[in-house]
């Protein structure tokens, strides 16, 4: 019997070691470009190249990060292997690292003359990854002061600014025996954070509300592509009470969370709603007996003239926070549930239902006597009863004209999973 002179590829593969079988060349457009677009361009684009490095063209990449034919001498590869790129984001998968290694080893061929661009749409999780990468990159460039200081933030590309006040770490007795839902009093410890000196104003919040309608595409370098913005409001949301310098009102907790994510993307600093414990701790400002609203420090039913008032026009508390009591009630991150007597550290009950969630502080529409540091308000579906939309909006509350929020910035930067949980709290969340 004669032996066939030729063998099929399958037969050769079965008898030869894998190392002797040539792999197909790496396809730049198919294999490499998606890695650069999804992992690198958010910080290294043409418009704002971090570290004066853009990865949008081969010339730029080869000039600074790649030595064709030598992966071990190419920082694009070695920094990715070390987990330093992308900063703050998830490490590249083993398969992605191998693609970069082979691409560089094969000469870093770049088959397309077109500059790379960020994908048109990104997931909520990927948005968080990119935002955190920017925050980490910025935090590494700053030197933290020996002692936490108050500071002012100007929202990029605007003249709108807000102040952040340092809140020291500490322990306190949370709750009271005055009302059933404030009991039992229990010991709580919270870590250090900064808190906005006053509630978020319309000047700040309207930048977020109307960004999409104003044509802001979400500059890739600001990492805001994946952050959803509110739909167009169906009524004038200040209800004629005032815009400039007045607190923003009538947003859902979901909307407040998304504003925090958007602001973090814009500024490169991490912001979120306060937990219920953080809010009460800041309101007490080191005082054991919980302060109550009075005409000098709070706008309440007795002195508000039936509407909210400009922020920071009453006296601040001992830690420099304005309007913690009165003016507008404020969202927290927590689901409304009974307290437990056990001591806790940094407690947070993440919302698993759309109602009830916790608001704090009382408002211009409440008697001063009921506006205390310990008083808890449970959100309710009736807060959007007159909403004309079907289904009802996840962004606006027609019947909560006394509800707003302020943000905190924890001293310790959370990981990306925690960021996602903070910004996508509750069931009224944005799933992209």
């Amino acid at each position: 019997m004669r032996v066939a002179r030729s063998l099929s590829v399958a037969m050769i593969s079965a008898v030869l070691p894998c190392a002797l079988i040539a792999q197909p060349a790496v396809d730049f457009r198919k294999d490499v470009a998606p890695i650069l677009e999804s992992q690198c361009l958010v910080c290294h684009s043409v418009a704002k190249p971090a570290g004066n490095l853009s990865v949008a063209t081969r010339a730029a990449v080869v000039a600074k990060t790649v030595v064709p034919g030598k992966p071990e001498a190419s920082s694009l590869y070695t920094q990715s292997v070390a987990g330093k790129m992308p900063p703050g984001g998830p490490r590249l998968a083993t398969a992605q690292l191998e693609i970069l290694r082979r691409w560089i080893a094969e000469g870093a061929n770049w088959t397309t003359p077109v500059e790379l661009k960020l994908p048109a749409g990104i997931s909520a999780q990927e948005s968080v990854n990119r935002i955190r990468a920017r925050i980490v990159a910025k935090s590494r460039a700053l030197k933290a002061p020996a002692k936490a200081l108050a500071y002012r933030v100007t929202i990029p590309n605007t003249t709108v600014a807000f102040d952040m006040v340092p809140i020291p770490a500490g322990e306190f007795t949370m709750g009271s025996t005055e009302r059933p839902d404030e009991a039992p009093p229990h010991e709580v410890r919270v870590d250090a954070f900064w808190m906005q000196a006053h509630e978020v104003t319309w000047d700040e919040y309207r930048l977020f509300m109307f960004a999409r309608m104003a044509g802001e595409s979400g500059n890739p370098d600001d990492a805001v592509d994946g952050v959803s913005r509110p739909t167009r409001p169906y009524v004038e949301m200040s209800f004629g009470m005032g815009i400039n310098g007045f607190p923003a009102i009538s947003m859902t907790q979901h909307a407040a969370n998304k504003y925090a994510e958007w602001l973090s993307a814009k500024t490169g600093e991490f912001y979120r709603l306060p937990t219920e414990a953080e809010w009460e701790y800041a309101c007490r400002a080191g005082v054991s007996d919980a302060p109550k609203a009075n005409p000098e420090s709070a706008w309440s039913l007795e002195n508000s003239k039936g509407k909210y008032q400009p922020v920071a026009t009453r006296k601040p508390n001992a830690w420099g926070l304005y309007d913690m009591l009165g003016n507008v009630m404020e969202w927290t991150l927590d689901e409304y549930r009974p307290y437990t007597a056990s001591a806790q550290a940094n407690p947070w009950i993440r919302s698993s239902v759309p109602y009830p969630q916790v608001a704090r502080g009382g408002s211009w529409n409440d008697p001063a006597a009921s506006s205390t540091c310990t008083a808890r308000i449970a959100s309710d579906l009736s807060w959007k009863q007159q909403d004309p939309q079907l289904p009802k909006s996840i962004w606006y509350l027609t019947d909560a004209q006394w509800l707003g929020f302020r943000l905190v910035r924890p001293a310790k930067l959370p990981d990306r999973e925690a960021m996602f949980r903070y910004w996508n709290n509750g069931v009224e969340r944005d799933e992209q």
Side-chain angles (χ1 to χ4, degrees), residues 260-310:
E261 183 177 1
W262 173 85
L263 184 67
S264 300
K266 294 291 288 184
T267 62
E269 298 166 351
F270 174 65
Y271 295 99
R272 61 166 170 80
L273 285 175
T275 64
E276 190 176 6
E278 289 169 337
W279 191 97
E280 182 173 326
Y281 177 66
C283 184
R284 286 174 176 268
V287 179
S288 298
D289 295 329
K292 297 182 179 181
N294 65 71
E296 291 187 345
S297 63
W299 294 109
S300 58
L301 185 63
E302 291 83 357
N303 66 350
S304 67
K305 300 180 181 179
K307 55 174 285 189
Y308 62 43
Q309 299 296 322

Side-chain angles (χ1 to χ4, degrees), residues 302-351:
E302 291 83 357
N303 66 350
S304 67
K305 300 180 181 179
K307 55 174 285 189
Y308 62 43
Q309 299 296 322
V311 299
T313 51
R314 303 283 89 179
K315 289 184 178 180
N317 71 7
W319 284 349
L321 299 169
Y322 295 88
D323 302 316
M324 290 296 287
L325 298 177
N327 212 18
V328 296
M329 201 175 292
E330 299 175 15
W331 278 119
T332 72
L333 273 173
D334 291 64
E335 183 177 320
Y336 182 91
R337 288 189 192 173
Y339 286 156
T340 61
S342 60
Q344 301 173 64
N346 301 306
W348 171 36
I349 300 175
R350 188 177 187 229
S351 297

Side-chain angles (χ1 to χ4, degrees), residues 30 126 179 247 292 327 334 366 378 382 395:
K30 176 183 176 182
E126 180 61 23
R179 300 173 183 84
K292 297 182 179 181
N327 212 18
D334 291 64
D366 296 309
S382 64
W395 299 103

Side-chain angles (χ1 to χ4, degrees), residues 85-149:
M85 292 293 173
R91 297 183 63 163
L92 296 186
T94 301
Q96 292 175 311
L97 292 171
E98 177 60 13
I99 288 172
L100 288 182
R101 187 197 67 76
R102 288 177 51 212
W103 175 64
I104 296 171
E106 293 170 5
N109 182 40
W110 192 302
T111 57
T112 175
V114 181
E115 288 188 352
L116 302 182
K117 296 181 180 180
L118 280 169
I122 58 177
S123 68
Q125 182 63 70
E126 180 61 23
S127 171
V128 172
N129 293 343
R130 294 179 178 184
I131 295 169
R132 190 176 191 278
R134 288 183 58 85
I135 293 171
V136 169
K138 181 175 180 179
S139 65
R140 287 174 176 170
L142 298 175
K143 292 184 178 180
K147 182 178 179 181
L149 303 173

Side-chain angles (χ1 to χ4, degrees), residues 152-205:
R152 172 163 290 189
V153 179
T154 299
I155 298 176
N157 304 315
T158 77
T159 59
V160 177
F162 57 90
D163 294 319
M164 299 296 294
V165 176
I167 308 298
E171 298 177 354
F172 73 109
T173 302
M174 184 174 178
S176 77
T177 57
E178 290 191 13
R179 300 173 183 84
D181 71 340
E182 298 173 18
H186 53 288
E187 297 304 308
V188 171
R189 175 170 180 79
V190 296
D191 293 336
F193 58 94
W194 283 270
M195 179 176 258
Q196 285 186 291
H198 55 70
E199 297 111 342
V200 172
T201 65
W202 283 119
D203 308 78
E204 301 158 51
Y205 193 71

